[in-house]
Amino acid sequence: MRSRGGGSGGIRGRSRFAVLGMLTVEPMSGYDIKKFIETSVAHFWRESYGNIYPLLNRLTEEKLVRRRTQRQKGKPDRHVYSLTARGRTEFLEWLGEPVEAETVRSELLLKLFFGRHLATERLESHLEEYREHQTRLLAALRGTREMLDRNHADHPDLRYWLLTLRRGELVARARLQWARESLHGFAKNPGKK
Amino acid sequence: MRSRGGGSGGIRGRSRFAVLGMLTVEPMSGYDIKKFIETSVAHFWRESYGNIYPLLNRLTEEKLVRRRTQRQKGKPDRHVYSLTARGRTEFLEWLGEPVEAETVRSELLLKLFFGRHLATERLESHLEEYREHQTRLLAALRGTREMLDRNHADHPDLRYWLLTLRRGELVARARLQWARESLHGFAKNPGKK
DNA sequence: GTCCTCATGTAACGGGTTACATGATTCT
DNA sequence: AGAATCATGTAACCCGTTACATGAGGAC
């Protein structure tokens, strides 16, 4: 019996397709992939180097990507990866499959759920911090959007990138609204409702 | 050097405080905890039995909870856990600490981000499914809210429970709005924007 | 008869993070 | 002088899920 356990979906991890997908944009090194993720999908997806590098090696073994090595002076060799035909096929297959249930976990909500045991000021400071975080996030999203409009107005992926940005903005706004509303609620009625 | 690796926050897992917190509501068995989670915080937190039971054993060893065993006919012994003073203290400590950065990963957004490579119908079906999912979620949240108002109108935790529900509703509505808006966008302009 | 609920637990496994290791170059 | 950027990689380790194992009693 060898198909037990494992995250949420057998042997096919989530990260592999993220990486594969980034390579549909253009050939990149592991380092590039990380940077690109940070400036494009960071609001809904992250990867660490400790995940990316071993992954790229596995993908190379599986012939889903091809590696070209560029020698550099004073720096380690730069490995530029590009999709193979098989890699592209597998990626497209995944892309068409229904989205698997997402595991959501919000530590903030968990803390608020038990908020009765928390001093009102602490509770408010949690909300406060959250509000600030969402504000920063919104600003970052707007920044990204402006950057895209400026630098990538003709990029074939632009439309889809904006789609995800838009969701980020709408959700961040809703969270912001909720944080404000909740803070007002506690300001008016510190002890109880 | 023994404090390497590990999720996001050293040896203190996220689940332990979720479990500890549930026991502030009332003493419960592992089974109860799971059920309670499903009817209260499921929209932002989940736990599996395979996590809960071993966790309760560890918490018992660490003297953060106390176990009472109830014998039953035809069923396994029922273990009812309650917080110890130490357990309560550790829980309250955690409750006051700032919320750690949350890892967000949305497979849907990842797929849409690469949407250029997807046939428009498939892309729409992803959005469609998401829209339905959010609609069901909203209905469930409203159901929970009504249930709370009916059965727990005087529960000391009610206010905080409603707070988390409210966030669930606002965010689900925003996501729903986004899904509709995006579907309209693609209906009008299937090929490109 | 078959399915659901109650009830607890273990084994296997995949996944992903953080910290460490290394080191030249360029910016401040 | 010190920090950040470029660049790749490994080791340790925690976290949590799924599938399996077991079994009585009640509902339909």
Side-chain angles (χ1 to χ4, degrees):
Chain A
M1 255 106 284
R2 69 165 307 303
S3 81
R4 295 244 208 98
S8 58
I11 209 162
R12 13 188 63 213
R14 318 135 191 66
S15 299
R16 60 191 290 116
F17 297 107
V19 168
L20 248 24
M22 295 305 156
L23 296 181
T24 66
V25 178
E26 74 184 311
M28 281 189 258
S29 69
Y31 191 83
D32 294 336
I33 289 173
K34 178 92 196 293
K35 294 297 151 192
F36 185 65
I37 286 175
E38 274 164 18
T39 58
S40 60
V41 297
H43 59 109
F44 65 83
W45 203 273
R46 273 156 206 269
E47 292 293 345
S48 63
Y49 288 126
N51 200 19
I52 291 174
Y53 286 120
L55 229 175
L56 284 169
N57 286 324
R58 282 190 56 195
L59 292 173
T60 306
E61 280 171 39
E62 297 175 33
K63 309 228 189 264
L64 303 183
V65 302
R66 190 182 304 116
R67 164 165 48 205
R68 264 172 305 142
T69 303
Q70 294 174 351
R71 281 209 199 112
Q72 302 185 119
K73 26 171 185 190
K75 292 179 198 171
D77 286 358
R78 188 178 139 85
H79 300 324
V80 179
Y81 297 88
S82 48
L83 278 182
T84 63
R86 276 191 56 196
R88 181 170 291 271
T89 307
E90 284 214 12
F91 172 72
L92 293 179
E93 227 167 83
W94 167 80
L95 205 58
E97 278 163 25
V99 175
E100 286 180 49
E102 308 187 359
T103 314
V104 199
R105 286 192 144 192
S106 168
E107 199 183 307
L108 174 73
L109 289 194
L110 193 60
K111 284 187 171 169
L112 295 187
F113 187 80
F114 302 121
R116 179 163 64 92
H117 306 282
L118 202 50
T120 306
E121 323 96 62
R122 296 244 107 244
L123 198 147
E124 282 175 338
S125 77
H126 286 337
L127 278 169
E128 197 72 47
E129 217 170 291
Y130 187 70
R131 191 179 55 90
E132 278 161 30
H133 183 252
Q134 297 303 318
T135 305
R136 281 195 300 275
L137 178 59
L138 256 181
L141 290 171
R142 279 176 193 144
T144 305
R145 192 212 283 271
E146 279 160 32
M147 187 272 286
L148 286 179
D149 285 336
R150 251 185 292 119
N151 302 344
H152 299 284
D154 296 326
H155 199 290
D157 283 318
L158 180 65
R159 183 187 191 182
Y160 304 93
W161 296 354
L162 291 176
L163 197 66
T164 65
L165 270 180
R166 173 83 178 144
R167 208 216 60 164
E169 284 177 32
L170 283 175
V171 169
R173 256 186 248 163
R175 294 200 276 229
L176 201 54
Q177 189 196 330
W178 167 77
R180 288 201 183 116
E181 174 187 305
S182 302
L183 280 166
H184 288 157
F186 279 97
K188 272 193 210 142
N189 277 305
K192 57 188 209 164
K193 199 175 192 175
Chain B
M1 253 103 282
R2 67 163 309 302
S3 79
R4 292 243 210 99
S8 59
I11 209 161
R12 12 188 65 213
R14 318 136 191 69
S15 297
R16 61 193 287 119
F17 297 107
V19 167
L20 250 23
M22 295 305 156
L23 297 180
T24 66
V25 179
E26 74 185 311
M28 282 189 258
S29 69
Y31 191 83
D32 295 337
I33 288 173
K34 178 90 195 295
K35 294 296 151 193
F36 184 66
I37 285 175
E38 275 164 17
T39 58
S40 60
V41 298
H43 60 109
F44 65 83
W45 203 272
R46 274 157 206 268
E47 291 294 344
S48 63
Y49 289 126
N51 200 19
I52 291 174
Y53 286 120
L55 229 174
L56 283 169
N57 286 324
R58 282 188 55 195
L59 292 173
T60 307
E61 281 170 38
E62 296 175 33
K63 309 228 189 265
L64 303 184
V65 302
R66 190 182 304 116
R67 164 165 48 205
R68 265 171 304 141
T69 303
Q70 294 174 352
R71 285 218 192 105
Q72 303 185 118
K73 28 177 182 183
K75 292 179 199 170
D77 286 358
R78 188 178 138 85
H79 300 323
V80 179
Y81 296 88
S82 49
L83 279 182
T84 62
R86 275 191 56 196
R88 180 170 291 271
T89 307
E90 283 214 11
F91 172 72
L92 293 179
E93 227 167 83
W94 168 80
L95 204 58
E97 278 164 24
V99 175
E100 285 181 49
E102 308 187 359
T103 314
V104 199
R105 283 192 147 191
S106 167
E107 199 182 307
L108 174 73
L109 288 194
L110 193 61
K111 285 187 170 168
L112 296 188
F113 187 80
F114 302 121
R116 179 164 66 90
H117 306 282
L118 204 50
T120 306
E121 323 97 61
R122 298 245 103 246
L123 199 148
E124 282 175 337
S125 76
H126 285 337
L127 277 169
E128 197 71 47
E129 217 170 291
Y130 187 70
R131 191 180 55 90
E132 279 160 29
H133 183 252
Q134 297 303 318
T135 305
R136 282 195 299 275
L137 177 60
L138 255 181
L141 289 172
R142 280 178 193 141
T144 306
R145 191 213 284 271
E146 279 161 31
M147 187 273 285
L148 286 178
D149 285 335
R150 251 184 293 120
N151 302 344
H152 299 283
D154 296 328
H155 199 289
D157 283 319
L158 180 64
R159 183 188 192 182
Y160 304 93
W161 296 355
L162 290 176
L163 197 65
T164 65
L165 270 180
R166 174 81 178 144
R167 208 216 59 163
E169 285 177 32
L170 283 176
V171 170
R173 255 186 248 163
R175 293 200 276 228
L176 201 53
Q177 189 196 329
W178 168 77
R180 287 200 183 119
E181 174 187 306
S182 302
L183 280 165
H184 289 158
F186 278 97
K188 273 192 211 145
N189 276 305
K192 56 189 214 162
K193 203 174 190 174

